[in-house]
Amino acid sequence: MCGIVGYVGPRPSQEILLSGLARLEYRGYDSAGIAVIDGQGDLGMRKRAGKLSVLRDDLASHPLADGTTGIGHTRWATHGGPTDENAHPHLADDDKLAVIHNGIIENFAELKAELESAGYAFRSQTDTEVAAVLLGREYAASGDLVDAFRATVTRLEGAFTLLAMHRDQPGLVVGARRNSPLVIGLGEGENFLGSDVAAFVEHTRHALAIGQDQIVAITPEGVEVTDFHGAVVEVEPFEVTWDAAAADKGGWRSFMAKEVAEEPEAVANTLLGRIRNGVVEIPELDGLDDLFAGITRMVVIAAGTAAYASDGHVGKYAIEQWTRVPVEVELAHEFRYRDPVLTPETLVISISQSGETMDTLMAVKYAREHGAKTLSICNTQGATIPRESDAIVYTHAGPEVAVASTKAFVAQITALYLLGLHIARIRGALSPSEISQSVRELEAIPAKIRKVLDTETEHIAQLSHWMADTRSVLFLGRHVGYPIALEGALKLKEITYIHAEGFAAGELKHGPIALIEPGQPVFVIVPSPRESALLHAKVVSNIEEIRARGARVIAIAEEGDVAVLPKADEVLRIPLAGPLFEPLLAVVPLHLFAMGLAEAKGLDVDQPRNLAKSVTVE
Ligand code: M6R
């Protein structure tokens, strides 16, 4: 939550900051601001409530003097509503110092009381301004921004990425991070800071990831990273593997439309380089067989789409079946606070697109501190969660910008499946031919998703149009169809703001069937009759039960399943696949439907209200 960008170099910084913020806007979009030290050595600042376009328009009509040192921020409000005053940057030291912040400063109230009793005044309701005023006081004492910054951050509790610059030290931006993301972009005679690499990828793909409780000072000539005590630390360089075009809309009407269309590539790229002669070999896990050999239990933790809405559950069914190691799935925020049983034989697998979700990060740290082994599945290089884990398997979905997670979701299931097959091979739980059969299924998925997109997009757009005034939609599924029902419901709530719920179809008669009234739309994920005749029959019976009560049934069924035809009002077709692989196909119509309905209602599909892409506060 909140996007942060910093620049020092020879170029005018305003446009660099604004285009960096445009790429980070998915992290928060209730207000935005920039501060720049201009050619005269004055610090100029502009900030506005609303989306970045409001700030842009303001700057276009009332230009700010430009300069070559600057910081910018796009906000998701925590302390203080989304107003001009609460937007960042916050100024201090007679408006000579500017600060931006992502995270929550938990001890801000006591710090504020201390500063107020020393005579300092505040203009906003934010925790950030407290850090700015504290930094201003320290600067007045030391006259050195890095020293003052160190003295300030060591007094802060909570999670933060902070950037600051001072009029009297142009050509310098300092940053610090604790439990919140910050990466460095290395240019030629210029350097960048960003919440993630998207902030600067159009200028450089050379990056450095800084660690916990570290401070970075960037100047045009160089970068110095120190810990909170001042000791210089070496940081890991990495190359960004995608270019700026990958994070652009590229002619699509929305990022979500683009990202749903990229689902086939997300799966294909996640498989790339990890299958050799029908055998799964994940290069990142080379030499880590010991991590898997002695485990007696796995716990998958995540939040939102990555967990609640199913990856964890889909993965549970597959990984448990393949490895014969018990797998539990838990929401990261519940896991962390319930004193779970963890041993060195427990492997905790976290899943996160951003790699920054605070709930998941805290759960990973907790698991490590309590002796478990940790592995993360993540889509973002340089992110915090992989850095805190013993092992990492990257999904290669490319940058996901729309708040609603789509292509990352199919990439996460793919990575979990690869991991399951990898562990099954190491533990000898599956024969080589069983593994290669699953590998063949996985390799066929991208073309099958493409087929769903080719054949059902138009149909679903029409369906969404007809259903534009629908006030409630239910989703039913069994076995791996159940988490897909949850995902369908979450996506719909998230971007259309209507009531949506997903149920295990078997649960229907235990309560939810009372919701069915004439005309109630219900999506039903129908298992394959070839692969699971018994489950298929059960789901068809569930359809009969809801139809008898007037439900309008939209079935997602495999090609050739004629049994559903007379029972459903609409049938959305998916190609044939093994039972564990159906979720990768059945979810695609649900992503298309949520997007179609949001569009039919005239809503912003990429930036739904109240949300941000990356939830970096607990
Ligand atoms: O970055 P992460 O995968 O850790 O994010 C987890 C959730 O916040 C995320 O999946 C959220 O639920 C999506 N907006 C759902 O579409």
Side-chain angles (χ1 to χ4, degrees):
M1 309 202 129
C2 301
I4 277 183
V5 56
Y7 174 79
V8 281
R11 295 190 278 163
S13 62
Q14 271 188 47
E15 192 46 46
I16 294 172
L17 298 174
L18 289 171
S19 70
L21 290 182
R23 290 185 193 284
L24 295 179
E25 205 182 4
Y26 70 86
R27 300 180 68 89
Y29 35 82
D30 60 39
S31 50
I34 59 169
V36 171
I37 300 174
D38 68 25
Q40 268 56 55
D42 287 329
L43 192 150
M45 188 269 286
R46 184 73 46 78
K47 55 183 185 175
R48 293 297 307 271
K51 293 194 175 178
L52 184 62
S53 55
V54 177
L55 176 70
R56 256 196 191 281
D57 291 349
D58 188 307
L59 286 165
S61 53
H62 304 92
L64 197 64
D66 213 344
T68 58
T69 305
I71 55 179
H73 187 269
T74 178
R75 180 170 187 245
W76 186 88
T78 57
H79 292 69
T83 61
D84 286 356
E85 264 320 329
N86 289 333
H88 301 208
H90 290 278
L91 303 182
D93 195 18
D94 295 330
D95 296 349
K96 291 181 285 186
L97 170 79
V99 171
I100 54 177
H101 167 225
N102 172 29
I104 292 179
I105 297 167
E106 286 170 356
N107 60 336
F108 88 101
E110 54 201 81
L111 292 172
K112 190 170 183 176
E114 173 190 320
L115 291 162
E116 278 173 335
S117 63
Y120 290 92
F122 291 85
R123 291 176 272 203
S124 76
Q125 287 86 51
T126 63
D127 50 345
T128 308
E129 194 183 5
V130 175
V133 172
L134 193 59
L135 179 60
R137 184 171 77 171
E138 294 296 340
Y139 187 87
S142 71
D144 181 275
L145 188 57
V146 177
D147 288 347
F149 205 63
R150 183 165 297 115
T152 302
V153 293
T154 46
R155 294 210 56 200
L156 305 180
E157 289 166 18
F160 51 84
T161 302
L162 279 173
L163 296 196
M165 59 181 200
H166 197 287
R167 192 193 75 173
D168 296 345
Q169 289 191 264
L172 171 69
V173 175
V174 291
R177 65 167 293 234
R178 168 179 288 168
N179 294 330
S180 184
L182 180 62
V183 283
I184 306 164
L186 301 173
E188 297 282 328
E190 59 184 2
N191 289 302
F192 306 81
L193 295 172
S195 298
D196 71 45
V197 297
F200 49 72
V201 70
E202 66 186 295
H203 309 290
T204 179
R205 288 163 69 173
H206 307 306
L208 297 172
I210 73 166
Q212 276 294 67
D213 288 2
Q214 291 178 356
I215 291 176
V216 55
I218 60 167
T219 61
E221 298 78 34
V223 165
E224 184 173 69
V225 180
T226 50
D227 65 19
F228 279 8
H229 308 291
V232 174
V233 287
E234 289 294 316
V235 282
E236 261 173 61
F238 67 94
E239 290 293 304
V240 183
T241 53
W242 48 274
D243 61 20
D248 285 337
K249 248 188 242 177
W252 289 86
R253 63 190 183 281
S254 65
F255 279 108
M256 186 174 179
K258 174 177 180 248
E259 288 159 9
V260 172
E262 287 172 346
E263 288 188 15
E265 289 75 35
V267 173
N269 291 340
T270 300
L271 294 174
L272 212 64
R274 280 139 172 203
I275 294 172
R276 219 167 298 145
N277 303 323
V279 176
V280 174
E281 283 174 21
I282 303 178
E284 300 98 296
L285 301 181
D286 270 358
L288 293 179
D289 286 7
D290 285 353
L291 194 69
F292 308 109
I295 51 172
T296 55
R297 174 173 159 249
M298 293 184 248
V299 185
V300 183
I301 53 166
T305 275
Y308 165 73
S310 93
D311 292 323
H313 292 80
V314 174
K316 170 185 165 69
Y317 294 148
I319 296 182
E320 202 165 279
Q321 179 170 326
W322 290 335
T323 64
R324 306 314 298 161
V325 177
V327 178
E328 295 156 32
V329 178
E330 204 159 340
L331 292 169
H333 32 92
E334 291 296 318
F335 169 84
R336 162 74 179 79
Y337 292 104
R338 70 164 182 85
D339 192 17
V341 176
L342 293 167
T343 67
E345 290 75 41
T346 309
L347 176 66
V348 173
I349 302 170
S350 63
I351 307 172
S352 175
Q353 187 286 129
S354 61
E356 300 295 347
T357 298
M358 185 58 77
D359 297 311
T360 311
L361 172 61
M362 288 302 156
V364 169
K365 285 183 162 191
Y366 182 92
R368 272 189 104 173
E369 282 160 18
H370 289 78
K373 301 186 168 80
T374 53
L375 179 148
S376 79
I377 291 179
C378 180
N379 194 45
T380 311
Q381 289 172 289
T384 310
I385 293 172
R387 293 166 60 82
E388 294 287 331
S389 305
D390 299 313
I392 161 81
V393 176
Y394 279 109
T395 48
H396 295 299
E400 191 179 65
V401 177
V403 165
S405 190
T406 54
K407 64 175 179 171
F409 175 84
V410 290
Q412 286 162 349
I413 298 176
T414 306
L416 264 175
Y417 281 16
L418 285 172
L419 179 66
L421 294 169
H422 183 90
I423 298 175
R425 176 178 61 76
I426 290 168
R427 295 174 66 97
L430 288 181
S431 68
S433 70
E434 287 169 319
I435 291 178
S436 59
Q437 190 187 334
S438 291
V439 163
R440 278 197 299 278
E441 287 268 15
L442 273 177
E443 288 179 319
I445 291 295
K448 292 181 183 178
I449 297 180
R450 167 86 43 230
K451 188 169 182 198
V452 179
L453 292 170
D454 289 347
T455 54
E456 292 296 350
T457 297
E458 190 52 34
H459 182 185
I460 294 168
Q462 275 172 8
L463 188 64
S464 316
H465 192 68
W466 297 329
M467 291 174 67
D469 295 326
T470 302
R471 301 180 57 130
S472 160
V473 181
L474 304 180
F475 296 82
L476 297 181
R478 277 181 185 256
H479 189 245
V480 286
Y482 165 46
I484 295 304
L486 296 178
E487 163 69 356
L490 174 64
K491 213 95 305 172
L492 204 63
K493 281 183 251 204
E494 187 177 21
I495 60 170
T496 71
Y497 320 145
I498 65 170
H499 169 250
E501 272 192 83
F503 298 107
E507 210 36 35
L508 204 59
K509 294 189 281 293
H510 299 283
I513 199 164
L515 291 169
I516 306 292
E517 56 187 14
Q520 169 67 52
V522 185
F523 278 75
V524 184
I525 295 120
V526 184
S528 159
R530 303 165 301 109
E531 299 277 356
S532 357
L534 190 60
L535 274 184
H536 181 265
K538 296 267 179 248
V539 170
V540 170
S541 301
N542 294 139
I543 294 180
E544 299 277 19
E545 290 155 8
I546 55 172
R547 265 178 61 93
R549 287 155 180 87
R552 180 153 180 246
V553 175
I554 301 122
I556 298 177
E558 79 170 20
E559 290 163 0
D561 178 354
V562 287
V564 294
L565 278 177
K567 323 247 178 234
D569 297 274
E570 296 286 337
V571 180
L572 306 173
R573 291 295 185 186
I574 57 173
L576 278 50
L580 289 172
F581 301 90
E582 278 170 22
L584 285 159
L585 307 177
V587 76
V588 180
L590 298 183
H591 286 164
L592 287 170
F593 174 66
M595 181 172 68
L597 198 65
E599 287 171 345
K601 292 167 86 66
L603 298 170
D604 182 341
V605 294
D606 288 338
Q607 297 183 338
R609 69 183 181 200
N610 303 340
L611 289 167
K613 178 78 180 157
S614 186
V615 182
T616 55
V617 292
E618 271 187 283

